[in-house]
Amino acid sequence: MKSNFSRVLSLLRQEKGVSQRKAAADLGISQALLSHYENGIREPGLAFVTKACDYYHVAADYMLGRTLSRDGAIIEAEELPDASEGREDLRGSIMAKLQKKLVVNTASILFDLLGQLGSRAAADQAGAYLSSALYQLFRPLYRAAGGNESYFSTDRTRFDMDVLAADMTLSRIRYVQALEEYRGDFPAVDDQSLASAYQGLSQSLAQVFHNTDERVKRLEE
């Protein structure tokens, strides 16, 4: 439990915006004991896990790091790297696997919906926007790993001056314009319709929305 529970417990408290002393008092334990739980020094009993889930309004599977969905939707075990040895270096690979699932599932829903529209312009601009985002993430990794940037055609200085951010903005503008100019019928995109049409994938979509909303909230604090 240490590798996941302690990290999530600490992050949830910080997200809630309460001090360790306040959280400990609300949970009915000492601050020292909560500190031990958050740092993985001690493992709590089931009663505390249940109380902490209620306090932070999350499912036990989320608290234990078994899923990225706060309501408890499970990432299947076969989709995760083997963490049986409990090595520290596996944590990053597990999180990468989970983040990949969120992004791939969400993109799959998006492009399936755009395919139902039949709008080539909207699909092209959505692809351009996401391609630029991936480019911006991959190139610094390539650079940090010692790769020769002649692999890329865009000048390094222009890239460092965020020319790709400008490309993403233009793609988003054209994407919105394509949707506004579309005159056909739109597929249902309310939460119930998405959950029904994309069983198993819609949890990823909801989690992406939630994670983004939480980051925006922190920006506004």
Side-chain angles (χ1 to χ4, degrees), residues 15-190:
E15 179 183 290
K16 191 177 180 70
V18 297
S19 67
Q20 200 173 68
R21 176 178 298 179
K22 166 66 173 171
D26 292 343
L27 292 167
I29 61 174
S30 68
Q31 182 180 348
L33 182 55
L34 180 58
S35 176
H36 285 172
Y37 289 163
E38 290 189 356
N39 288 292
I41 298 173
R42 294 181 59 180
E43 292 190 8
L46 179 59
F48 175 82
V49 174
T50 301
K51 185 177 292 187
C53 288
D54 291 340
Y55 182 64
Y56 292 117
H57 305 292
V58 297
D61 282 316
Y62 179 85
M63 180 71 76
L64 297 174
R66 298 183 63 213
T67 175
L68 289 179
S69 178
R70 297 190 177 212
D71 65 1
I74 295 294
I75 302 294
E76 297 298 331
E78 60 267 21
E79 296 178 294
L80 298 176
D82 181 11
S84 58
E85 299 179 22
R87 300 199 315 269
E88 290 289 326
D89 60 342
L90 286 176
R91 294 187 194 179
S93 63
I94 290 174
M95 289 308 299
K97 184 76 172 181
L98 295 176
Q99 292 295 340
K100 174 184 175 182
K101 182 182 180 73
L102 291 180
V103 172
V104 170
N105 286 353
T106 300
S108 294
I109 293 175
L110 172 65
F111 283 102
D112 186 74
L113 291 170
L114 292 177
Q116 293 178 44
L117 291 183
S119 171
R120 177 175 178 176
D124 282 348
Q125 295 308 316
Y129 182 90
L130 294 176
S131 294
S132 289
L134 292 171
Y135 185 110
Q136 290 187 82
L137 295 175
F138 189 87
R139 186 161 179 174
L141 174 62
Y142 193 87
R143 179 186 298 176
N148 186 339
E149 288 192 73
S150 61
Y151 179 73
F152 303 93
S153 297
T154 300
D155 177 74
R156 175 170 179 161
T157 300
R158 296 183 68 201
F159 173 75
D160 290 340
M161 292 293 289
D162 284 339
V163 67
L164 268 296
D167 179 66
M168 290 179 69
T169 298
L170 182 58
S171 296
R172 184 167 61 86
I173 291 171
R174 290 172 173 168
Y175 171 75
V176 172
Q177 183 178 18
L179 293 178
E180 291 177 343
E181 293 176 350
Y182 180 71
R183 294 294 177 263
D185 295 326
F186 283 86
V189 293
D190 59 277

